[in-house]
Amino acid sequence: LCLCWALGPAAASAPPNILLLLMDDMGWGDLGVFGEPSKETPNLDQMASEGMLFLDFYTANPLCSPSRAALLTGRLPVRNGFYTTNAHARNAYTPQDIVGGIPDSELLLPELLKKAGYTNKIIGKWHLGHRPQFHPMKHGFDEWFGSPNCHFGPFDNRALPNIPVYRDWEMIGRYYEDFKIDLKTGEANLTQIYLQEALDFISKQQASQQPFFLYWAIDATHAPVYASKHFLGTSQRGLYGDAVREIDDSIGKILKHLQKLGISENTFVFFTSDNGAALISAPKQGGSNGRFLCGKQTTFEGGMREPAIAWWPGHIPAGGVSHQLGNVMDLFTTSLSLAGLQPPGDRQIDGIDLLPAILQGKLIDRPIFYYRGNEMMAVRVGLYKAHYWTWSNSWEEYSKGVDFCPGQNVSGVTTHTQEEHTTLPLLFHLGRDPGEKYPLSFASDEYQRAMEQISVVVQQHKATMVPGEPQLNVCDKAVMNWSPPGCEKLGKCLKQPKSDPKKCIWPH
């Protein structure tokens, strides 16, 4: 096996293309290959059979934008600023009125890949801040087609503006006005548009012989869920399944396109999701986390363990299954390694290089940290997971029908008040109990042995933790998408209200 492309750009004619397929709120249990009963993901299942399936792959945060910030920086959100200090252990993201975003001090994957001659494109949801200084093309991307926020709406353009869709530097329209999403039927053509953008970019790059990095961050499985007309009503799982089927079909077309152009053996592809399925939207608008506990917003396995597949014909042995503990932050370090680049040495990088695990089947010993806001909630070492804090969501929210663990109440585990377990962490063996239902007895020898090992890992981690400046503390209606660049040409600039910054309120 030749690792020559990884020895530096001079050692090989060109480093491989890198294609990261990031889903939005897609759960571990949504793929046929992970046991979804209706088996409606034939292309992703085939991708797994031709590549490597990761069974123990995690996100860095159980919510959209912090996990994306982690993927692109290789750093935990508490380091890169994608968290809040307004209240303890709160999940926070980048809604329209957030003032913060990705800091200039952070080095993003596309910025670094430029050094190895890559052309970089993002298709879909950015979610790292929508104000001009946070624009993806100021952070290493050469092209963008997509949106800075989720496709929430429609809004009235007076109290709240509709979310813009960008091509490169300027908006080309807004959701619900120029890019239709029918909330009654769930019909929208966006996945087809995102697919075509990907195929065109790949063709263009192949013709120019330039290595490319394509970050395909589509959002059809985030509520409000949508699919195009051809896929509506075709799934046994309803509208959510329709969206999954269309995504699966699109990924099949992208992989076939790489093969048809003769560049599949020079393109590393990785598929995963930003966080677990949003059970609050299930069953009509949310996916499945399989056997795992709870979902999006929580640091239980259902919120943070993700479907993950690596595909690289001619390099990754077909039909591989890995128990390597992986994390979205590893995609940063692994991509740099593919490009023959070293990760930045002037900051703490949390992602590891997965190539030894992917190409040689090696297992790299590393812990997984489960953060919620500014708090380390849990840690996984080997097959053991220790919870230092538990919290699903508040009684106040729960009493209003907001439930992140529907049908999954585990006494003393899925708590509705923040429960501290730092003196005696709740410990689970994820091999025997992947659903986190049976905490080990505090008095057992097994508990004592495992916690001795875990305590050392946690102490080392906390000793080196220097949190970044929190970006998700301040909200201001004046910074919303009233007048994005390009609005004048379209006659779509809206009147901006007076600035009135406030502390953001994060209920969960």
Side-chain angles (χ1 to χ4, degrees):
L1 182 68
C2 173
L3 292 173
C4 51
W5 80 89
L7 301 175
S13 54
N17 306 309
I18 298 165
L19 172 50
L20 301 183
L21 306 166
L22 185 72
M23 304 302 104
D24 201 341
D25 293 4
M26 192 184 272
W28 197 93
D30 282 339
L31 272 56
V33 73
F34 284 120
E36 204 289 311
S38 53
K39 294 278 187 281
E40 291 177 343
T41 53
N43 294 292
L44 285 163
D45 298 350
Q46 185 178 340
M47 181 185 179
S49 73
E50 293 172 1
M52 177 173 276
L53 197 61
F54 280 83
L55 301 179
D56 297 80
F57 195 85
Y58 290 88
T59 184
N61 186 276
L63 206 60
C64 302
S65 39
S67 64
R68 289 157 195 265
L71 186 157
L72 290 173
T73 62
R75 285 152 57 78
L76 284 162
V78 72
R79 293 194 213 275
N80 64 37
F82 267 72
Y83 72 104
T84 181
T85 52
N86 285 357
H88 177 249
R90 290 302 202 275
N91 281 323
Y93 67 110
T94 53
Q96 277 208 70
D97 56 350
I98 201 84
V99 168
I102 196 72
D104 276 344
S105 56
E106 290 298 318
L107 287 169
L108 272 60
L109 178 58
E111 292 177 70
L112 297 166
L113 288 176
K114 276 184 179 295
K115 294 175 183 171
Y118 280 75
T119 301
N120 310 307
K121 178 159 186 161
I122 169 174
I123 296 173
K125 188 163 93 175
W126 167 240
H127 226 206
L128 300 192
H130 59 279
R131 298 170 72 203
Q133 65 266 42
F134 306 127
H135 193 292
M137 289 172 68
K138 287 202 169 165
H139 294 272
F141 283 103
D142 300 293
E143 298 181 24
W144 180 26
F145 182 88
S147 181
N149 305 86
C150 277
H151 55 278
F152 293 139
F155 302 124
D156 63 5
N157 282 341
R158 287 187 297 278
L160 287 169
N162 278 316
I163 307 291
V165 175
Y166 279 75
R167 178 172 297 286
D168 299 336
W169 288 108
E170 297 186 339
M171 72 176 277
I172 53 169
R174 294 183 189 266
Y175 283 135
Y176 298 94
E177 299 170 28
D178 313 281
F179 293 88
K180 299 284 191 275
I181 302 170
D182 188 323
L183 294 185
K184 285 202 182 77
T185 64
E187 185 180 347
N189 216 29
L190 287 163
T191 301
Q192 291 304 309
I193 296 170
Y194 294 145
L195 166 62
Q196 198 56 52
E197 284 289 322
L199 299 177
D200 291 349
F201 177 73
I202 291 166
S203 295
K204 187 175 77 175
Q205 289 311 119
Q206 192 268 339
S208 74
Q209 304 285 298
Q210 282 285 105
F212 67 79
F213 165 49
L214 175 55
Y215 175 47
W216 199 63
I218 64 164
D219 61 2
T221 41
H222 189 298
V225 172
Y226 60 79
S228 59
K229 195 166 194 171
H230 180 67
F231 289 90
L232 285 179
T234 64
S235 167
Q236 292 184 39
R237 301 180 61 196
L239 178 58
Y240 183 86
D242 296 340
V244 171
R245 289 200 64 215
E246 182 167 18
I247 287 169
D248 178 77
D249 180 77
S250 300
I251 289 171
K253 287 182 169 133
I254 289 170
L255 299 184
K256 285 186 184 77
H257 192 58
L258 293 170
Q259 287 166 327
K260 191 181 84 188
L261 294 175
I263 56 172
S264 59
E265 293 198 3
N266 197 37
T267 305
F268 174 86
V269 185
F270 201 97
F271 166 92
T272 191
S273 177
D274 63 347
N275 46 249
L279 299 186
I280 187 174
S281 309
K284 289 191 172 175
Q285 299 260 322
S288 161
N289 296 312
R291 289 189 63 188
F292 301 122
L293 185 62
C294 300
K296 178 180 178 176
Q297 303 270 13
T298 77
T299 49
F300 301 109
E301 291 296 286
M304 295 195 56
R305 201 186 294 206
E306 305 308 323
I309 304 166
W311 184 87
W312 189 12
H315 300 271
I316 298 173
V321 175
S322 178
H323 283 285
Q324 171 65 47
L325 296 191
N327 195 295
V328 294
M329 297 181 291
D330 303 341
L331 299 175
F332 172 89
T333 314
T334 305
S335 296
L336 292 179
S337 180
L338 287 165
L341 300 169
Q342 291 295 319
D346 64 343
R347 63 200 61 212
Q348 180 72 42
I349 300 294
D350 297 293
I352 65 168
D353 180 4
L354 290 176
L355 288 182
I358 293 171
L359 299 175
Q360 296 148 338
K362 288 186 177 170
L363 285 180
I364 304 152
D365 189 28
R366 65 89 69 87
I368 295 291
F369 297 102
Y370 302 70
Y371 270 85
R372 183 158 163 163
N374 57 350
E375 186 61 70
M376 191 202 79
M377 305 287 283
V379 62
R380 176 174 173 181
V381 175
L383 284 167
Y384 291 99
K385 179 177 178 184
H387 288 268
Y388 286 75
W389 287 84
T390 53
W391 190 37
S392 57
N393 63 321
S394 66
W395 280 115
E396 185 190 3
E397 278 200 303
Y398 184 66
S399 63
K400 291 177 185 164
V402 175
D403 190 357
F404 301 141
C405 311
Q408 290 188 305
N409 178 42
V410 181
S411 182
V413 178
T414 56
T415 52
H416 290 291
T417 50
Q418 292 183 28
E419 299 290 339
E420 186 171 1
H421 309 278
T422 48
T423 47
L424 271 181
L426 293 185
L427 187 66
F428 296 91
H429 185 287
L430 293 178
R432 299 193 298 262
D433 176 25
E436 296 170 280
K437 291 181 176 64
Y438 309 103
L440 272 65
S441 162
F442 298 136
S444 67
D445 288 345
E446 184 182 6
Y447 182 93
Q448 303 298 333
R449 281 196 312 273
M451 282 313 305
E452 273 175 29
Q453 190 189 358
I454 291 169
S455 297
V456 173
V457 170
V458 170
Q459 280 165 7
Q460 287 173 342
H461 175 69
K462 295 214 160 173
T464 62
M465 175 50 69
V466 181
E469 186 73 27
Q471 295 294 310
L472 308 181
N473 279 352
V474 182
C475 289
D476 185 350
K477 285 192 182 279
V479 306
M480 293 200 290
N481 292 290
W482 301 106
S483 300
C487 67
E488 302 87 352
K489 293 181 194 169
L490 302 172
K492 284 191 173 283
C493 302
L494 301 169
K495 192 171 185 303
Q496 176 184 338
K498 202 162 86 261
S499 179
D500 183 20
K502 291 183 167 72
K503 272 176 84 165
C504 304
I505 296 167
W506 306 107
H508 37 260

